[in-house]
Amino acid sequence: MNVRNARISDAKVICSLINYYAEHDKMLFRALAEIYENLQTFLVAEQDGRTIGCCALEVIWSDLAEIKSLAIQAENRGKGVGTALVSAALEQARALGVPRVFALTLEPGFFERVGFAVVRKEDLPMKVWSDCAKCPKQTECDETAVIRTLGAGDAPVAEPVLQRSLWG
Ligand SMILES: CC(C)(COP(=O)(O)OP(=O)(O)OC[C@H]1O[C@@H](n2cnc3c(N)ncnc32)[C@H](O)[C@@H]1OP(=O)(O)O)[C@@H](O)C(=O)NCCC(=O)NCCS
């Protein structure tokens, strides 16, 4: 399995991976146009020439990026593909010089397995909520915020620091 930057030829597969889970109420729907517009933010996992997973890394602000649209083809779940995509996204964040990466997810257990810590959504900056305007759930958001701090030994954010405030 190989993780690489997405290409134009991946866009339709990325769109169907995401929307498969959106139909199961696990992710937000994405239009194909949105995938093309944000294609440079996407990484894909490829096996035997087939795209079997995707995720996006979007820079939010000077010190923060978001992992979005993480989706692994159903029959390839549980084989380390999600871990490989998150690792590659974290590597990209490091290369860009962004010290913190967060996600809003219905699968916090997975993110904890890959070194993220659960934080209160209120501790994330307002800028993070731009997607909420498009979300049908809006005020009934059932996602959990998770974050990982890069560098300094690459340890997950320590609990006492989170309780104070990340951006206070
Ligand atoms: C959640 C998802 C991305 C995980 O990817 P994956 O390739 O199946 O996960 P991996 O095989 O890399 O799993 C890594 C570890 O996390 C664990 N794990 C996977 N999903 C988990 C979950 N939902 N809760 C807790 N642990 C989980 C695995 O058991 C594994 O543990 P191990 O190291 O002890 O073996 C994938 O299942 C998926 O696409 N789910 C549907 C879409 C979705 O919910 N995306 C997240 C939106 S942000």
Side-chain angles (χ1 to χ4, degrees), residues 21 27 70-72 77-83 104-105 107 109-111 113:
Y21 290 111
M27 297 178 76
L70 173 64
I72 315 305
R77 286 168 67 175
K79 298 179 183 171
V81 181
T83 302
L104 293 165
T105 182
E107 302 289 358
F110 164 74
F111 280 94
R113 292 289 305 164

Side-chain angles (χ1 to χ4, degrees), residues 96-119:
L96 288 164
V98 180
R100 290 190 181 99
V101 177
F102 80 98
L104 293 165
T105 182
L106 297 177
E107 302 289 358
F110 164 74
F111 280 94
E112 287 181 302
R113 292 289 305 164
V114 293
F116 285 68
V118 172
V119 289

Side-chain angles (χ1 to χ4, degrees), residues 44-97:
V44 295
E46 180 182 59
Q47 191 164 46
D48 302 326
R50 289 190 318 129
T51 301
I52 58 169
C54 63
C55 83
L57 180 82
E58 286 186 13
V59 176
I60 302 292
W61 202 245
S62 64
D63 59 351
L64 190 65
E66 178 176 8
I67 287 184
K68 296 170 90 164
S69 302
L70 173 64
I72 315 305
Q73 194 184 43
E75 57 268 39
N76 282 298
R77 286 168 67 175
K79 298 179 183 171
V81 181
T83 302
L85 280 163
V86 169
S87 300
L90 294 176
E91 202 43 57
Q92 255 189 7
R94 262 185 218 104
L96 288 164

Side-chain angles (χ1 to χ4, degrees), residues 97-141:
V98 180
R100 290 190 181 99
V101 177
F102 80 98
L104 293 165
T105 182
L106 297 177
E107 302 289 358
F110 164 74
F111 280 94
E112 287 181 302
R113 292 289 305 164
V114 293
F116 285 68
V118 172
V119 289
R120 295 184 315 158
K121 278 184 277 194
E122 307 85 89
D123 287 336
L124 296 173
M126 287 303 289
K127 183 85 174 59
V128 160
W129 306 113
S130 59
D131 268 1
C132 299
K134 298 179 230 161
C135 179
K137 293 183 185 165
Q138 292 212 357
T139 54
E140 284 144 39
C141 175

